[in-house]
Amino acid sequence: MIHRDGIDWIQEQKGVYDVLIIDRPDPVGPGKKLFQPDFYQYVYNSLKDDGVVVFQSGSPYYNTSTLQGTFKNLKELFPIVRTYLVTIPLFPCGIWSFTIASKKMDPLQADLTKLQHTDTQYIDPEIFRASFVLPKYIKEIVDGKDS
């Protein structure tokens, strides 16, 4: 386990990760720098050529600016950026967004025959595909029409 400032640590990682999963605090205080363009660049630099990153991008209802900023910053660096939704009943409004970005891999082209879902309570190929279908109000957020 590593206990360090995430900004300092990620700057040292160059092309070493296949997958990064990033869960950040709210964009206030020390956590604010994890929402700045420099951080997204460091993440991009830390991934291998076919690497994938997933950001927790907040409630599309209560954290509109977090979702919009995450999508915008990733879109400036990555050719493939997709937001998807999951149901988390304990979270505000019950719907939560995650945004995935990659230099080469499009989740909409994933081979779902390899998805291990037999003993799961949630994910299966239908839910996987459906999670990327966004309601109009969320499409407007990621398209930058909701400011």
Side-chain angles (χ1 to χ4, degrees):
M1 186 172 295
I2 300 168
H3 294 278
R4 290 186 55 198
D5 182 290
I7 292 286
D8 294 340
W9 177 82
I10 196 77
Q11 289 179 62
E12 298 168 5
Q13 314 306 310
K14 303 285 189 222
V16 295
Y17 289 100
D18 295 313
V19 177
L20 286 172
I21 300 170
I22 300 176
D23 184 15
R24 304 168 289 183
D26 290 334
V28 294
K32 193 171 185 174
K33 58 188 174 179
L34 300 175
F35 294 82
Q36 302 300 315
D38 287 353
F39 180 67
Y40 294 95
Q41 183 67 59
Y42 301 143
V43 168
Y44 181 90
N45 295 344
S46 71
L47 290 171
K48 292 181 180 178
D49 287 340
D50 60 351
V52 174
V53 61
V54 176
F55 280 86
Q56 177 274 115
S57 47
S59 163
Y61 185 76
Y62 294 112
N63 306 111
T64 302
S65 62
T66 298
L67 172 54
Q68 192 172 59
T70 300
F71 190 89
K72 177 185 172 288
N73 280 297
L74 290 171
K75 197 69 177 159
E76 290 178 4
L77 297 168
F78 291 89
I80 300 162
V81 180
R82 306 260 187 222
T83 293
Y84 63 96
L85 303 175
V86 298
T87 302
I88 305 176
L90 296 176
F91 283 22
C93 87
I95 298 172
W96 215 253
S97 73
F98 294 83
T99 302
I100 187 169
S102 178
K103 299 173 185 179
K104 292 184 181 176
M105 311 292 264
D106 187 342
L108 299 182
Q109 303 302 316
D111 179 1
L112 298 182
T113 62
K114 297 179 181 184
L115 180 64
Q116 297 178 15
H117 61 88
T118 306
D119 296 323
T120 66
Q121 294 292 311
Y122 187 82
I123 195 71
D124 63 25
E126 288 178 304
I127 291 293
F128 179 89
R129 284 188 290 275
S131 65
F132 289 95
V133 178
L134 304 177
K136 289 180 186 179
Y137 80 98
I138 297 176
K139 286 180 187 177
E140 290 175 357
I141 293 168
V142 298
D143 289 340
K145 295 177 183 169
D146 182 272
S147 298

